[in-house]
Amino acid sequence: MLADDQELLRTGFRMVLEAQPDIDIVAEAGDGVQAIEEAARTPVDVILMDVRMPRLDGVEATRRICAGPDAPKVLILTTFDLDEYAFAALKAGAAGFLLKDVPPLELVAAIRAVHSGDAVVAPTTTRRMLDSFARVLPSAAGPAEPPELARLTDREREVLLLVAQGLSNSEIAARLTLSEATVKTHVGRILTKLNLRDRVQAVVLAYETGLVRAGG
């Protein structure tokens, strides 16, 4: 489903996506309220959700949609300057975010990745986003480290720190001299132990608890 108040943008995305044999556009929405209504009555796997829309913004729409059973995956569409609502949407349950000027091939790949259960957060974009949100992240007097983190091994904690810094599995493998498959296994164990849905939630947790700090 395409949820964006700009009809021209929805038309552009539709043209790109309908050219793919494995992707169908089953619904469109021009605001957050309509997105929730369409998601409730139309079986949909992935939603491309704009952040700033009339009546109800994409953050609240994402929160309400993701709170339901068997919720579709939500990919947030944000502008290049990474407005703060994108971070809030990740906390609300979005599986990742894309820039509105994302190249067509990357858009298609992101949709397929999210559909398969992966999170889509470009490492360099993650770093820029988290740096820009230093003011909304915890201060030195933030919440205590959750006890769940004590369940992690030293290696898992090390991997989590690198995930939180925006590194991909291949970059983490190179940094720690591990195979990419081993890193993927570590990430899976981290998500299980911390009861997290995906690496997006892992990034949010690491910054909210002060395990890693923006700009640091």
Side-chain angles (χ1 to χ4, degrees):
M1 179 168 73
L2 305 176
D4 195 293
D5 61 334
Q6 298 181 43
E7 184 176 356
L8 182 61
L9 193 61
R10 296 201 310 270
T11 299
F13 282 147
R14 176 182 283 276
M15 291 176 62
V16 169
L17 298 177
E18 287 190 331
Q20 305 301 314
D22 57 339
I23 298 178
D24 294 314
I25 306 300
V26 297
E28 292 189 21
D31 59 60
V33 172
Q34 188 178 7
I36 293 171
E37 294 171 349
E38 290 291 344
R41 63 172 170 251
T42 307
V44 57
D45 298 311
V46 179
I47 300 175
L48 294 184
M49 181 81 75
D50 187 20
V51 171
R52 299 183 179 183
M53 294 186 292
R55 293 212 289 171
L56 189 70
D57 63 49
V59 174
E60 184 58 29
T62 296
R63 181 178 294 109
R64 297 185 191 182
I65 290 172
C66 291
D70 300 320
K73 305 292 186 180
V74 177
L75 272 174
I76 294 298
L77 295 170
T78 184
T79 52
F80 183 75
D81 60 355
L82 297 171
D83 53 70
E84 64 192 53
Y85 298 108
F87 181 75
L90 295 181
K91 292 178 62 178
F97 63 89
L98 298 171
L99 302 182
K100 281 194 173 183
D101 60 354
V102 59
L105 291 180
E106 290 185 21
L107 173 64
V108 171
I111 291 172
R112 289 175 178 148
V114 165
H115 181 254
S116 69
D118 291 334
V120 177
V121 182
T124 55
T125 306
T126 304
R127 287 190 283 269
R128 290 202 310 272
M129 182 186 74
L130 292 170
D131 283 344
S132 69
F133 296 144
R135 65 186 183 279
V136 301
L137 293 171
S139 64
E145 181 173 297
E148 292 86 351
L149 290 179
R151 302 174 187 169
L152 302 182
T153 65
D154 290 343
R155 177 63 85 186
E156 288 166 351
R157 192 182 183 92
E158 193 173 14
V159 170
L160 175 59
L161 287 169
L162 295 176
V163 168
Q165 292 172 36
L167 273 66
S168 65
N169 285 354
S170 60
E171 290 172 325
I172 294 172
R175 179 77 65 88
L176 300 179
T177 318
L178 299 171
S179 71
E180 193 167 343
T182 298
V183 173
K184 187 174 182 180
T185 297
H186 282 313
V187 172
R189 289 174 179 167
I190 290 167
L191 298 182
T192 298
K193 289 182 178 181
L194 299 182
N195 194 29
L196 301 173
R197 185 189 63 243
D198 53 41
R199 66 193 297 134
V200 172
Q201 289 193 338
V203 171
V204 172
L205 174 70
Y207 278 80
E208 284 192 319
T209 59
L211 185 63
V212 176
R213 297 192 181 281

